[in-house]
Amino acid sequence: MYRALLNGPDDFDGWREAARRFAMGGVEATGIDWQVEGDEASLLPFEAPPPPINGGAFSVPRAFIAVAESAILHHDRERFALLYALLVRVRDNPALMEDRADPLLRRVDMLAKAVRRDIHKMRAFVRFREVEDEGGARFVAWFEPEHHIVRANAGFFVRRFASMRWSILTPELCIHWDGEILTESAGATRSDAPDGDPVEDAWKRYYAAIFNPARLKQRAMLSEMPRKYWRNLPEAALIPDLVAGAQAREAAMIATSPKPPARPSGANRDASRPSNIAASWSALKEQAMACTRCPLYQDATQTVFGEGPLDAPLMLIGEQPGDQEDLAGRPFVGPAGQLLDRVLEEAEIDRGRLYVTNAVKHFKHERRGKRRIHQTPETPEIQACRWWLDQEIDLLRPRIIVALGVTAARALLSKAVTISRTRGAPIVLESGAEGWVTIHPSFLLRVPDEARKAQERARFVEELREIGVRAKAIS
Ligand code: URA
């Protein structure tokens, strides 16, 4: 029997190093005892690591590393051995990573998915309470993750709350940010974290305002916001009352629906939408098909209007149709659209539940021989086309609107913004919806460096995943 001793339950580098050594030495998966520093030591005798056979160097597909980095954070004690078994098989047959029916790959995939979900829950359900310490205001949160995700999630909180001083306490590990340095300390207990404070009152008011009784789906709510997180969520204290009053409030909403204000808040979104929304949307699309508000219609095949369910909680806005969209008459069906589909799938967002549209609805391009080369729309074109976008938003009242890239962000926010400075945090829009700005998928198609591309893609997936969770939670 061989032994691998890892520095911690999330020690991917340690696992990788040991796994590589054992695999090069031809060791079977059943021949290794994986231990984590601090665990009870095994009483079995161990052999010295084997020498590499025939040099032994090998490489595995990037997809394996991606899945292994997540799966290693699972609390399943078998994860190290399962990953090692998969590593050995993938080394001998790299195509295995494509075989979604393979039981071992499926099992490891399920571990990775559970971890990603947990990472997400932490991002969505951590709630800070403000306390005073010797350095001034500090925001402290208590969270109980299912898996060993705290260290892996730290970067997200550092980026999101870079200018705050904060601590996240968990049973296994606590992380602290002082505005410059991230530090760790041993696990804590719930009683180490402060209870409610005024920040919570504001949050509760916000939650009560966005809670929509007409869209109450208790089962979906429980699956997205499991009861175990409720005790740490200030707004969860409101849920029983809000649910109990939902029917009455829904009746009140229906009774008041014929007189919507011009720009209602998120809370009365459904009441504000016309009852004949499908007819209104079709009429709007028909008008847009004949649009001559700017010269772009002259060279385009057709207007490419938005598409998707009219009650979609989430709207995505792109820049403008490309060559293929112009011919097909549908948004995001070309290369950027196909990439977007893959990214959405990874982020566990069903495109069929999204309304997808563009800031500019005609294809702006320049002809070079037979090719039509994309040209970025300019401010007058974006402004002219806001006529349609504003009406789509007014009609559909999505809860969350995501601008993909600078043109979409400019159209949505009516000002020029930098993606890097604007992304990562929600913006309250005039419509009452929550706005997000992120990259356009075609940016990923242009990044030349593979490592950076993978990094940017992962960040994009995570952003969309978080937005998807929020959309489900509030719709
Ligand atoms: N890029 C966009 O912004 N929109 C599309 O519809 C296609 C590509």
Side-chain angles (χ1 to χ4, degrees):
M1 193 66 153
Y2 295 100
R3 175 171 65 169
L5 186 60
L6 305 178
N7 286 333
D10 57 353
D11 181 10
F12 179 71
D13 291 342
W15 175 86
R16 187 179 184 163
E17 181 56 38
R20 177 172 287 280
R21 194 163 20 92
F22 287 127
M24 290 197 310
V27 176
E28 299 276 333
T30 47
I32 310 165
D33 186 21
W34 296 93
Q35 288 192 4
V36 172
E37 188 84 48
D39 279 359
E40 221 168 277
S42 164
L43 299 174
L44 294 172
F46 294 106
E47 296 173 41
I53 300 170
N54 301 332
F58 65 95
S59 63
V60 288
R62 192 185 292 272
F64 172 83
I65 303 295
V67 86
E69 274 176 335
S70 294
I72 205 116
L73 306 179
H74 201 281
H75 62 227
D76 188 332
R77 290 186 62 86
E78 292 294 327
R79 64 194 183 283
F80 304 120
L82 287 169
L83 279 169
Y84 182 77
L86 184 62
L87 173 78
V88 172
R89 288 187 53 209
V90 170
R91 174 195 59 182
D92 299 338
N93 173 20
L96 178 70
M97 287 309 292
E98 308 297 326
D99 182 1
R100 296 285 133 192
D102 182 84
L104 179 58
L105 178 58
R106 281 172 69 95
R107 180 146 178 223
V108 169
D109 237 355
M110 276 167 63
L111 299 185
K113 275 205 176 102
V115 165
R116 288 200 288 263
R117 212 167 297 124
D118 202 29
I119 285 182
H120 233 61
K121 298 282 186 221
M122 180 169 173
R123 294 177 182 186
F125 297 140
V126 154
R127 296 284 182 271
F128 290 103
R129 277 105 174 161
E130 190 174 358
V131 296
E132 281 293 315
D133 67 12
E134 63 291 350
R138 172 174 287 277
F139 293 84
V140 181
W142 168 250
F143 189 74
E144 290 168 66
E146 275 181 47
H147 306 291
H148 307 287
I149 56 163
V150 177
R151 205 170 275 130
N153 231 350
F156 169 85
F157 289 96
V158 167
R159 282 193 301 278
R160 171 64 66 81
F161 303 111
S163 56
M164 281 164 49
R165 297 170 69 245
W166 53 258
S167 295
I168 300 177
L169 314 185
T170 81
E172 183 173 273
L173 171 76
C174 301
I175 50 175
H176 314 272
W177 174 249
D178 68 358
E180 282 174 15
I181 296 173
L182 185 73
T183 49
E184 292 180 0
S185 62
T189 62
R190 191 171 203 291
S191 59
D192 295 323
D195 266 341
D197 74 353
V199 174
E200 289 194 355
D201 290 338
W203 176 249
K204 278 188 198 161
R205 278 199 301 279
Y206 170 72
Y207 185 78
I210 61 169
F211 183 88
N212 185 344
R215 299 186 130 230
L216 178 63
K217 292 187 205 98
Q218 285 201 61
R219 194 169 319 149
M221 188 160 104
L222 278 173
S223 92
E224 282 312 319
M225 198 202 272
R227 273 188 207 280
K228 68 174 230 172
Y229 297 111
W230 286 24
R231 63 200 148 116
N232 298 324
L233 299 177
E235 69 271 29
L238 302 174
I239 292 174
D241 281 353
L242 289 170
V243 170
Q247 272 189 335
R249 299 209 311 141
E250 184 176 2
M253 268 187 172
I254 292 164
T256 54
S257 63
K259 35 184 178 355
R263 285 203 172 273
S265 70
N268 49 15
R269 163 202 192 226
D270 287 2
S272 73
R273 296 192 306 171
S275 51
N276 55 348
I277 185 166
S280 305
W281 180 83
S282 297
L284 184 66
K285 178 172 174 179
E286 208 177 303
Q287 291 163 23
M289 296 311 284
C291 179
T292 55
R293 292 178 62 82
C294 79
L296 291 186
Y297 75 95
Q298 292 166 354
D299 294 328
T301 310
Q302 57 192 316
T303 302
V304 178
F305 203 64
E307 66 174 26
L310 303 182
D311 63 348
L314 190 52
M315 175 186 277
L316 294 194
I317 307 175
E319 182 199 65
Q320 64 163 358
D323 185 68
Q324 294 193 29
E325 288 80 11
D326 171 78
L327 298 173
R330 296 184 51 212
F332 282 107
V333 293
Q338 286 156 24
L339 176 57
L340 179 66
D341 285 350
R342 290 195 295 275
V343 166
L344 286 171
E345 201 182 321
E346 276 173 53
E348 294 176 69
I349 295 179
D350 178 1
R351 177 160 174 179
R353 285 296 302 143
L354 297 182
Y355 185 85
V356 181
T357 191
N358 280 303
V360 171
K361 295 188 173 26
H362 280 119
F363 177 34
K364 181 173 180 181
H365 60 276
E366 182 184 86
R367 277 197 185 274
R368 279 196 218 142
K370 286 197 181 148
R371 295 178 61 210
R372 301 192 299 169
I373 309 296
H374 163 278
Q375 284 193 306
T376 305
E378 283 167 42
T379 307
E381 292 142 359
I382 298 169
Q383 270 170 356
C385 222
R386 272 196 51 187
W387 174 258
W388 304 115
L389 181 65
D390 283 349
Q391 291 190 73
E392 285 176 293
I393 294 174
D394 259 353
L395 201 57
L396 272 66
R397 301 265 157 202
R399 293 304 172 119
I400 299 188
I401 306 178
V402 184
L404 303 171
V406 280
T407 301
R410 189 180 197 126
L412 183 64
L413 305 176
S414 310
K415 61 177 184 189
V417 294
T418 326
I419 302 291
S420 57
R421 279 202 222 116
T422 323
R423 77 193 292 192
I427 301 161
V428 179
L429 300 172
E430 218 186 309
S431 65
E434 185 177 291
W436 291 81
V437 170
T438 182
I439 57 166
H440 190 283
S442 64
F443 164 71
L444 296 177
L445 295 173
R446 293 193 304 267
V447 177
D449 176 67
E450 283 304 315
R452 167 137 190 257
K453 189 189 290 233
Q455 219 176 22
E456 291 289 352
R457 188 181 202 278
R459 183 168 175 198
F460 188 36
V461 169
E462 286 316 312
E463 270 171 341
L464 291 177
R465 189 194 300 279
E466 186 190 353
I467 291 167
V469 168
R470 292 171 79 97
K472 279 193 199 147
I474 64 179
S475 61

